[in-house]
Short mmCIF file of all heavy atoms in Angstrom, two decimals:
data_model
loop_
_atom_site.label_atom_id
_atom_site.label_comp_id
_atom_site.label_asym_id
_atom_site.label_seq_id
_atom_site.Cartn_x
_atom_site.Cartn_y
_atom_site.Cartn_z
N MET A 130 72.31 121.28 99.47
CA MET A 130 71.82 122.21 100.48
C MET A 130 72.81 123.36 100.63
O MET A 130 74.02 123.14 100.70
CB MET A 130 71.63 121.46 101.80
CG MET A 130 71.28 122.39 102.92
SD MET A 130 70.96 121.53 104.46
CE MET A 130 69.21 121.44 104.37
N ALA A 131 72.33 124.55 100.70
CA ALA A 131 73.20 125.72 100.83
C ALA A 131 73.72 125.86 102.23
O ALA A 131 73.04 125.53 103.19
CB ALA A 131 72.41 126.96 100.42
N MET A 132 74.94 126.36 102.33
CA MET A 132 75.56 126.62 103.61
C MET A 132 76.58 127.72 103.48
O MET A 132 77.31 127.77 102.48
CB MET A 132 76.28 125.33 104.09
CG MET A 132 76.98 125.46 105.40
SD MET A 132 77.75 123.88 105.80
CE MET A 132 79.16 124.45 106.69
N THR A 133 76.63 128.59 104.46
CA THR A 133 77.65 129.61 104.48
C THR A 133 78.71 129.19 105.47
O THR A 133 78.36 128.81 106.61
CB THR A 133 77.05 130.97 104.91
OG1 THR A 133 76.05 131.31 103.95
CG2 THR A 133 78.10 132.05 104.95
N LEU A 134 79.94 129.21 105.06
CA LEU A 134 81.07 128.82 105.92
C LEU A 134 81.94 130.02 106.14
O LEU A 134 82.52 130.57 105.19
CB LEU A 134 81.84 127.66 105.29
CG LEU A 134 83.04 127.16 106.05
CD1 LEU A 134 82.64 126.59 107.40
CD2 LEU A 134 83.74 126.09 105.24
N ARG A 135 82.06 130.48 107.35
CA ARG A 135 82.90 131.62 107.67
C ARG A 135 84.23 131.08 108.24
O ARG A 135 84.25 130.47 109.30
CB ARG A 135 82.21 132.52 108.69
CG ARG A 135 80.90 133.11 108.16
CD ARG A 135 80.37 134.19 109.09
NE ARG A 135 79.02 134.56 108.94
CZ ARG A 135 78.40 134.94 107.82
NH1 ARG A 135 79.03 134.93 106.69
NH2 ARG A 135 77.13 135.30 107.82
N LEU A 136 85.27 131.34 107.50
CA LEU A 136 86.60 130.87 107.91
C LEU A 136 87.40 132.00 108.50
O LEU A 136 87.26 133.17 108.10
CB LEU A 136 87.37 130.35 106.70
CG LEU A 136 86.80 129.12 106.00
CD1 LEU A 136 87.56 128.83 104.71
CD2 LEU A 136 86.84 127.91 106.91
N PRO A 137 88.30 131.68 109.44
CA PRO A 137 89.23 132.73 109.88
C PRO A 137 90.07 133.17 108.68
O PRO A 137 90.28 132.42 107.73
CB PRO A 137 90.11 131.96 110.92
CG PRO A 137 89.34 130.74 111.29
CD PRO A 137 88.47 130.41 110.12
N ALA A 138 90.52 134.40 108.74
CA ALA A 138 91.25 134.99 107.63
C ALA A 138 92.43 134.15 107.19
O ALA A 138 92.67 134.00 105.97
CB ALA A 138 91.70 136.42 107.99
N ASP A 139 93.18 133.58 108.14
CA ASP A 139 94.37 132.80 107.75
C ASP A 139 93.98 131.55 106.99
O ASP A 139 94.65 131.18 105.98
CB ASP A 139 95.23 132.47 108.97
CG ASP A 139 94.52 131.61 110.00
OD1 ASP A 139 93.30 131.76 110.20
OD2 ASP A 139 95.18 130.77 110.60
N LEU A 140 92.92 130.86 107.38
CA LEU A 140 92.50 129.66 106.66
C LEU A 140 91.92 130.00 105.29
O LEU A 140 92.14 129.29 104.32
CB LEU A 140 91.48 128.86 107.47
CG LEU A 140 91.99 128.17 108.71
CD1 LEU A 140 90.86 127.46 109.43
CD2 LEU A 140 93.09 127.19 108.36
N ASP A 141 91.19 131.09 105.23
CA ASP A 141 90.64 131.52 103.95
C ASP A 141 91.78 131.84 102.97
O ASP A 141 91.70 131.49 101.77
CB ASP A 141 89.72 132.71 104.12
CG ASP A 141 89.05 133.11 102.83
OD1 ASP A 141 88.36 132.25 102.23
OD2 ASP A 141 89.22 134.27 102.39
N ALA A 142 92.81 132.47 103.45
CA ALA A 142 93.95 132.82 102.60
C ALA A 142 94.64 131.55 102.09
O ALA A 142 94.99 131.45 100.92
CB ALA A 142 94.92 133.71 103.35
N LYS A 143 94.81 130.58 102.98
CA LYS A 143 95.43 129.30 102.56
C LYS A 143 94.55 128.58 101.55
O LYS A 143 95.07 128.02 100.57
CB LYS A 143 95.68 128.44 103.78
CG LYS A 143 96.80 128.93 104.68
CD LYS A 143 96.97 128.02 105.89
CE LYS A 143 98.04 128.58 106.81
NZ LYS A 143 98.23 127.73 108.00
N LEU A 144 93.27 128.57 101.80
CA LEU A 144 92.34 127.90 100.88
C LEU A 144 92.35 128.60 99.53
O LEU A 144 92.37 127.97 98.47
CB LEU A 144 90.94 127.89 101.49
CG LEU A 144 89.87 127.09 100.74
CD1 LEU A 144 90.26 125.63 100.59
CD2 LEU A 144 88.54 127.24 101.45
N ALA A 145 92.33 129.92 99.53
CA ALA A 145 92.35 130.69 98.27
C ALA A 145 93.64 130.43 97.51
O ALA A 145 93.63 130.26 96.28
CB ALA A 145 92.19 132.18 98.57
N GLU A 146 94.75 130.36 98.22
CA GLU A 146 96.04 130.09 97.57
C GLU A 146 96.08 128.69 96.96
O GLU A 146 96.53 128.50 95.84
CB GLU A 146 97.18 130.27 98.55
CG GLU A 146 98.56 129.97 98.00
CD GLU A 146 98.96 130.74 96.76
OE1 GLU A 146 98.40 131.83 96.53
OE2 GLU A 146 99.81 130.24 96.00
N ARG A 147 95.59 127.73 97.69
CA ARG A 147 95.53 126.35 97.17
C ARG A 147 94.62 126.29 95.94
O ARG A 147 94.95 125.63 94.95
CB ARG A 147 95.08 125.36 98.21
CG ARG A 147 95.00 123.95 97.64
CD ARG A 147 94.82 122.92 98.68
NE ARG A 147 96.05 122.83 99.41
CZ ARG A 147 96.22 121.98 100.39
NH1 ARG A 147 95.28 121.18 100.79
NH2 ARG A 147 97.37 121.94 101.05
N ALA A 148 93.49 126.96 96.03
CA ALA A 148 92.56 127.00 94.87
C ALA A 148 93.26 127.61 93.66
O ALA A 148 93.15 127.08 92.54
CB ALA A 148 91.30 127.78 95.22
N ARG A 149 93.98 128.68 93.85
CA ARG A 149 94.70 129.33 92.75
C ARG A 149 95.74 128.39 92.17
O ARG A 149 95.82 128.21 90.96
CB ARG A 149 95.38 130.61 93.25
CG ARG A 149 96.03 131.44 92.13
CD ARG A 149 96.95 132.51 92.66
NE ARG A 149 98.10 131.97 93.37
CZ ARG A 149 99.17 131.38 92.81
NH1 ARG A 149 99.22 131.20 91.49
NH2 ARG A 149 100.17 130.93 93.56
N ARG A 150 96.53 127.74 93.04
CA ARG A 150 97.59 126.83 92.58
C ARG A 150 97.07 125.63 91.83
O ARG A 150 97.67 125.16 90.87
CB ARG A 150 98.42 126.34 93.76
CG ARG A 150 99.45 127.28 94.30
CD ARG A 150 100.47 126.63 95.22
NE ARG A 150 99.95 125.50 96.01
CZ ARG A 150 99.49 125.56 97.25
NH1 ARG A 150 99.46 126.70 97.89
NH2 ARG A 150 99.05 124.48 97.89
N THR A 151 95.94 125.08 92.27
CA THR A 151 95.42 123.86 91.69
C THR A 151 94.38 124.11 90.59
O THR A 151 93.94 123.17 89.94
CB THR A 151 94.81 122.97 92.78
OG1 THR A 151 93.69 123.67 93.38
CG2 THR A 151 95.82 122.57 93.84
N GLY A 152 93.98 125.35 90.41
CA GLY A 152 92.97 125.66 89.41
C GLY A 152 91.58 125.16 89.78
O GLY A 152 90.73 124.96 88.90
N ARG A 153 91.35 124.99 91.07
CA ARG A 153 90.04 124.52 91.53
C ARG A 153 89.41 125.68 92.32
O ARG A 153 90.07 126.66 92.66
CB ARG A 153 90.21 123.31 92.43
CG ARG A 153 90.79 122.13 91.62
CD ARG A 153 91.10 120.95 92.48
NE ARG A 153 89.87 120.38 93.02
CZ ARG A 153 89.84 119.50 93.98
NH1 ARG A 153 90.96 119.07 94.55
NH2 ARG A 153 88.70 119.04 94.43
N ASN A 154 88.13 125.54 92.64
CA ASN A 154 87.51 126.58 93.44
C ASN A 154 87.52 126.20 94.94
O ASN A 154 87.69 125.04 95.28
CB ASN A 154 86.10 126.93 92.95
CG ASN A 154 85.13 125.79 93.05
OD1 ASN A 154 84.99 125.19 94.11
ND2 ASN A 154 84.44 125.51 91.96
N LYS A 155 87.35 127.20 95.77
CA LYS A 155 87.40 126.97 97.22
C LYS A 155 86.31 126.02 97.68
O LYS A 155 86.54 125.19 98.57
CB LYS A 155 87.30 128.31 97.98
CG LYS A 155 88.51 129.21 97.78
CD LYS A 155 88.58 130.39 98.70
CE LYS A 155 87.39 131.25 98.81
NZ LYS A 155 87.55 132.41 99.68
N GLN A 156 85.13 126.09 97.09
CA GLN A 156 84.06 125.22 97.50
C GLN A 156 84.40 123.76 97.28
O GLN A 156 84.23 122.91 98.14
CB GLN A 156 82.76 125.54 96.75
CG GLN A 156 81.62 124.61 97.11
CD GLN A 156 80.32 124.96 96.44
OE1 GLN A 156 80.03 126.13 96.24
NE2 GLN A 156 79.55 123.98 96.08
N ASP A 157 84.94 123.43 96.11
CA ASP A 157 85.34 122.05 95.81
C ASP A 157 86.40 121.56 96.78
O ASP A 157 86.37 120.42 97.23
CB ASP A 157 85.83 121.91 94.36
CG ASP A 157 84.71 122.01 93.35
OD1 ASP A 157 83.53 121.88 93.74
OD2 ASP A 157 85.03 122.22 92.17
N LEU A 158 87.38 122.41 97.09
CA LEU A 158 88.41 122.02 98.04
C LEU A 158 87.86 121.81 99.43
O LEU A 158 88.26 120.87 100.12
CB LEU A 158 89.54 123.09 98.06
CG LEU A 158 90.35 123.22 96.78
CD1 LEU A 158 91.27 124.43 96.86
CD2 LEU A 158 91.14 121.94 96.51
N ALA A 159 86.93 122.65 99.85
CA ALA A 159 86.32 122.49 101.18
C ALA A 159 85.50 121.20 101.25
O ALA A 159 85.59 120.46 102.25
CB ALA A 159 85.46 123.70 101.52
N ILE A 160 84.75 120.90 100.22
CA ILE A 160 83.97 119.67 100.18
C ILE A 160 84.88 118.45 100.25
O ILE A 160 84.62 117.52 100.99
CB ILE A 160 83.07 119.65 98.94
CG1 ILE A 160 81.95 120.68 99.07
CG2 ILE A 160 82.48 118.23 98.71
CD1 ILE A 160 81.16 120.89 97.79
N GLU A 161 85.94 118.49 99.47
CA GLU A 161 86.91 117.38 99.48
C GLU A 161 87.52 117.20 100.89
O GLU A 161 87.64 116.08 101.37
CB GLU A 161 88.01 117.65 98.47
CG GLU A 161 89.03 116.54 98.41
CD GLU A 161 90.14 116.84 97.41
OE1 GLU A 161 90.09 117.88 96.71
OE2 GLU A 161 91.06 116.03 97.31
N ALA A 162 87.87 118.29 101.55
CA ALA A 162 88.49 118.23 102.87
C ALA A 162 87.50 117.63 103.88
O ALA A 162 87.86 116.81 104.74
CB ALA A 162 88.95 119.60 103.31
N ILE A 163 86.25 118.02 103.80
CA ILE A 163 85.24 117.49 104.72
C ILE A 163 85.03 116.01 104.49
O ILE A 163 84.95 115.21 105.44
CB ILE A 163 83.92 118.28 104.58
CG1 ILE A 163 84.11 119.71 105.09
CG2 ILE A 163 82.78 117.58 105.33
CD1 ILE A 163 83.00 120.67 104.70
N ARG A 164 84.95 115.61 103.22
CA ARG A 164 84.79 114.18 102.93
C ARG A 164 85.99 113.36 103.44
O ARG A 164 85.82 112.27 103.97
CB ARG A 164 84.62 113.97 101.43
CG ARG A 164 83.25 114.39 100.95
CD ARG A 164 83.02 114.03 99.50
NE ARG A 164 81.64 114.30 99.13
CZ ARG A 164 81.27 114.85 97.99
NH1 ARG A 164 82.15 115.13 97.06
NH2 ARG A 164 80.00 115.05 97.75
N GLU A 165 87.20 113.87 103.24
CA GLU A 165 88.37 113.16 103.72
C GLU A 165 88.40 113.07 105.23
O GLU A 165 88.76 112.02 105.79
CB GLU A 165 89.63 113.85 103.18
CG GLU A 165 89.85 113.63 101.71
CD GLU A 165 91.02 114.41 101.14
OE1 GLU A 165 91.73 115.11 101.93
OE2 GLU A 165 91.27 114.33 99.91
N ALA A 166 88.01 114.14 105.91
CA ALA A 166 87.99 114.10 107.37
C ALA A 166 86.97 113.11 107.87
O ALA A 166 87.22 112.39 108.83
CB ALA A 166 87.66 115.53 107.90
N GLU A 167 85.82 113.05 107.22
CA GLU A 167 84.79 112.10 107.59
C GLU A 167 85.26 110.66 107.38
O GLU A 167 85.06 109.77 108.22
CB GLU A 167 83.49 112.35 106.83
CG GLU A 167 82.37 111.38 107.13
CD GLU A 167 81.96 111.36 108.59
OE1 GLU A 167 82.10 112.38 109.29
OE2 GLU A 167 81.46 110.32 109.02
N ALA A 168 85.95 110.43 106.28
CA ALA A 168 86.47 109.07 105.99
C ALA A 168 87.50 108.67 107.05
O ALA A 168 87.52 107.54 107.50
CB ALA A 168 87.05 109.05 104.60
N ARG A 169 88.36 109.61 107.44
CA ARG A 169 89.38 109.31 108.46
C ARG A 169 88.71 109.01 109.80
O ARG A 169 89.10 108.08 110.50
CB ARG A 169 90.37 110.46 108.62
CG ARG A 169 91.40 110.54 107.56
CD ARG A 169 92.52 111.55 107.92
NE ARG A 169 92.02 112.84 108.31
CZ ARG A 169 91.73 113.84 107.46
NH1 ARG A 169 91.87 113.67 106.18
NH2 ARG A 169 91.32 114.99 107.92
N ALA A 170 87.69 109.77 110.16
CA ALA A 170 86.99 109.55 111.45
C ALA A 170 86.31 108.20 111.42
O ALA A 170 86.33 107.46 112.40
CB ALA A 170 85.98 110.66 111.70
N GLU A 171 85.67 107.86 110.30
CA GLU A 171 84.97 106.59 110.20
C GLU A 171 86.00 105.44 110.26
O GLU A 171 85.75 104.43 110.94
CB GLU A 171 84.22 106.54 108.88
CG GLU A 171 83.21 105.42 108.81
CD GLU A 171 82.32 105.58 107.60
OE1 GLU A 171 81.66 106.62 107.45
OE2 GLU A 171 82.32 104.63 106.81
N LEU A 172 87.12 105.56 109.61
CA LEU A 172 88.13 104.56 109.64
C LEU A 172 88.66 104.34 111.05
O LEU A 172 88.84 103.22 111.50
CB LEU A 172 89.32 104.96 108.73
CG LEU A 172 90.49 104.00 108.65
CD1 LEU A 172 90.05 102.65 108.08
CD2 LEU A 172 91.59 104.58 107.78
N ASN A 173 88.86 105.41 111.80
CA ASN A 173 89.31 105.30 113.16
C ASN A 173 88.37 104.51 114.03
O ASN A 173 88.76 103.70 114.83
CB ASN A 173 89.58 106.68 113.77
CG ASN A 173 90.80 107.38 113.16
OD1 ASN A 173 91.67 106.71 112.61
ND2 ASN A 173 90.83 108.67 113.24
N VAL A 174 87.07 104.75 113.89
CA VAL A 174 86.07 104.02 114.67
C VAL A 174 86.14 102.53 114.34
O VAL A 174 86.12 101.68 115.22
CB VAL A 174 84.66 104.59 114.42
CG1 VAL A 174 83.59 103.69 114.97
CG2 VAL A 174 84.53 106.00 115.00
N HIS A 175 86.22 102.22 113.06
CA HIS A 175 86.29 100.82 112.65
C HIS A 175 87.55 100.14 113.17
O HIS A 175 87.50 99.01 113.58
CB HIS A 175 86.17 100.70 111.12
CG HIS A 175 84.82 101.05 110.59
ND1 HIS A 175 83.66 100.42 110.98
CD2 HIS A 175 84.45 101.99 109.69
CE1 HIS A 175 82.65 100.96 110.35
NE2 HIS A 175 83.09 101.90 109.55
N ASP A 176 88.66 100.87 113.13
CA ASP A 176 89.92 100.32 113.64
C ASP A 176 89.83 100.03 115.14
O ASP A 176 90.27 98.97 115.60
CB ASP A 176 91.08 101.30 113.37
CG ASP A 176 91.47 101.36 111.91
OD1 ASP A 176 91.02 100.50 111.13
OD2 ASP A 176 92.19 102.31 111.54
N VAL A 177 89.27 100.94 115.90
CA VAL A 177 89.13 100.75 117.33
C VAL A 177 88.24 99.57 117.61
O VAL A 177 88.53 98.74 118.49
CB VAL A 177 88.59 102.05 118.02
CG1 VAL A 177 88.19 101.77 119.44
CG2 VAL A 177 89.63 103.15 117.95
N LEU A 178 87.11 99.48 116.96
CA LEU A 178 86.18 98.37 117.16
C LEU A 178 86.83 97.03 116.80
O LEU A 178 86.68 96.04 117.51
CB LEU A 178 84.91 98.56 116.38
CG LEU A 178 83.97 99.66 116.87
CD1 LEU A 178 82.78 99.82 115.93
CD2 LEU A 178 83.50 99.38 118.29
N ALA A 179 87.57 97.01 115.72
CA ALA A 179 88.26 95.78 115.32
C ALA A 179 89.28 95.36 116.36
O ALA A 179 89.42 94.20 116.73
CB ALA A 179 88.92 95.96 113.97
N GLU A 180 90.01 96.35 116.86
CA GLU A 180 91.05 96.05 117.89
C GLU A 180 90.40 95.55 119.16
O GLU A 180 90.87 94.58 119.76
CB GLU A 180 91.89 97.29 118.16
CG GLU A 180 93.03 97.00 119.13
CD GLU A 180 93.93 98.21 119.31
OE1 GLU A 180 94.08 99.01 118.39
OE2 GLU A 180 94.48 98.35 120.45
N LEU A 181 89.32 96.19 119.59
CA LEU A 181 88.63 95.74 120.78
C LEU A 181 88.06 94.32 120.61
O LEU A 181 88.12 93.52 121.54
CB LEU A 181 87.49 96.69 121.13
CG LEU A 181 87.89 98.03 121.76
CD1 LEU A 181 86.66 98.91 121.89
CD2 LEU A 181 88.57 97.83 123.07
N THR A 182 87.54 94.07 119.46
CA THR A 182 87.01 92.72 119.19
C THR A 182 88.10 91.68 119.30
O THR A 182 87.91 90.61 119.89
CB THR A 182 86.35 92.68 117.80
OG1 THR A 182 85.31 93.65 117.77
CG2 THR A 182 85.78 91.30 117.51
N ASP A 183 89.29 92.00 118.81
CA ASP A 183 90.42 91.06 118.86
C ASP A 183 90.93 90.91 120.29
O ASP A 183 91.12 89.81 120.79
CB ASP A 183 91.56 91.51 117.96
CG ASP A 183 91.23 91.35 116.49
OD1 ASP A 183 90.28 90.59 116.18
OD2 ASP A 183 91.92 91.96 115.67
N THR A 184 91.19 92.01 120.96
CA THR A 184 91.84 91.98 122.26
C THR A 184 90.90 91.57 123.40
O THR A 184 91.34 91.01 124.39
CB THR A 184 92.48 93.33 122.62
OG1 THR A 184 91.48 94.35 122.63
CG2 THR A 184 93.57 93.71 121.62
N ASP A 185 89.63 91.86 123.24
CA ASP A 185 88.69 91.58 124.33
C ASP A 185 87.63 90.57 123.94
O ASP A 185 86.49 90.58 124.43
CB ASP A 185 88.02 92.89 124.77
CG ASP A 185 88.99 93.89 125.31
OD1 ASP A 185 90.00 93.46 125.90
OD2 ASP A 185 88.75 95.10 125.20
N SER A 186 88.00 89.63 123.08
CA SER A 186 87.01 88.66 122.59
C SER A 186 86.40 87.83 123.71
O SER A 186 85.21 87.52 123.70
CB SER A 186 87.62 87.76 121.52
OG SER A 186 88.69 87.01 122.05
N GLU A 187 87.19 87.45 124.71
CA GLU A 187 86.64 86.67 125.82
C GLU A 187 85.60 87.45 126.61
O GLU A 187 84.55 86.90 126.94
CB GLU A 187 87.77 86.24 126.77
CG GLU A 187 88.70 85.18 126.18
CD GLU A 187 89.81 84.78 127.16
OE1 GLU A 187 89.59 84.93 128.38
OE2 GLU A 187 90.85 84.34 126.68
N ILE A 188 85.88 88.70 126.87
CA ILE A 188 84.91 89.53 127.59
C ILE A 188 83.65 89.73 126.77
O ILE A 188 82.52 89.62 127.27
CB ILE A 188 85.55 90.90 127.95
CG1 ILE A 188 86.68 90.71 128.95
CG2 ILE A 188 84.50 91.87 128.50
CD1 ILE A 188 87.51 91.94 129.18
N LEU A 189 83.82 89.97 125.48
CA LEU A 189 82.65 90.15 124.61
C LEU A 189 81.82 88.90 124.54
O LEU A 189 80.60 88.94 124.55
CB LEU A 189 83.13 90.60 123.22
CG LEU A 189 83.75 92.01 123.14
CD1 LEU A 189 84.30 92.25 121.75
CD2 LEU A 189 82.73 93.06 123.50
N ASP A 190 82.48 87.74 124.47
CA ASP A 190 81.74 86.48 124.47
C ASP A 190 80.96 86.29 125.76
O ASP A 190 79.81 85.82 125.76
CB ASP A 190 82.69 85.30 124.26
CG ASP A 190 83.22 85.20 122.85
OD1 ASP A 190 82.54 85.79 121.93
OD2 ASP A 190 84.23 84.53 122.63
N HIS A 191 81.55 86.68 126.88
CA HIS A 191 80.89 86.56 128.18
C HIS A 191 79.67 87.45 128.25
O HIS A 191 78.65 87.09 128.84
CB HIS A 191 81.88 86.89 129.31
CG HIS A 191 81.27 86.80 130.66
ND1 HIS A 191 80.95 85.62 131.26
CD2 HIS A 191 80.90 87.80 131.55
CE1 HIS A 191 80.41 85.86 132.45
NE2 HIS A 191 80.41 87.20 132.63
N LEU A 192 79.76 88.65 127.63
CA LEU A 192 78.65 89.59 127.68
C LEU A 192 77.47 89.16 126.82
O LEU A 192 76.34 89.57 127.01
CB LEU A 192 79.12 90.97 127.27
CG LEU A 192 80.07 91.65 128.22
CD1 LEU A 192 80.59 92.96 127.62
CD2 LEU A 192 79.41 91.92 129.58
N LYS A 193 77.72 88.29 125.86
CA LYS A 193 76.64 87.81 124.98
C LYS A 193 75.75 86.98 125.79
O LYS A 193 74.86 86.54 126.00
CB LYS A 193 77.19 87.02 123.81
CG LYS A 193 77.91 87.89 122.81
CD LYS A 193 78.43 87.03 121.67
CE LYS A 193 79.29 87.86 120.71
NZ LYS A 193 79.83 87.06 119.66
#
């Protein structure tokens, strides 16, 4: 799906520089960054749920 992403000038410059250094294009780098951010967010949710399950197991059992 097509999408236009308007970046502030400073971020665009950093992205362009990284693309130049790595020999990749800006689109590929942006897609990779979005995927990594999504994976980190998903991991955080799973970590929080796992911790709550461990620390509050008695409460959760009572709620069942």
Side-chain angles (χ1 to χ4, degrees):
M130 173 177 264
M132 178 180 148
T133 300
L134 179 63
R135 298 190 197 307
L136 296 174
D139 62 325
L140 289 180
D141 185 57
K143 289 178 183 179
L144 186 60
E146 176 57 23
R147 179 168 289 181
R149 186 194 63 75
R150 281 194 329 265
T151 61
R153 297 174 66 193
N154 64 52
K155 293 191 309 182
Q156 178 177 324
D157 288 344
L158 292 172
I160 290 169
E161 180 181 358
I163 292 167
R164 285 186 174 140
E165 289 175 2
E167 178 60 27
R169 282 191 310 273
E171 195 171 301
L172 179 63
N173 289 338
V174 168
H175 291 303
D176 289 346
V177 168
L178 289 175
E180 185 176 328
L181 286 173
T182 301
D183 289 343
T184 59
D185 298 330
S186 61
E187 289 180 26
I188 295 170
L189 293 172
D190 288 340
H191 179 72
L192 293 174
K193 289 179 186 178

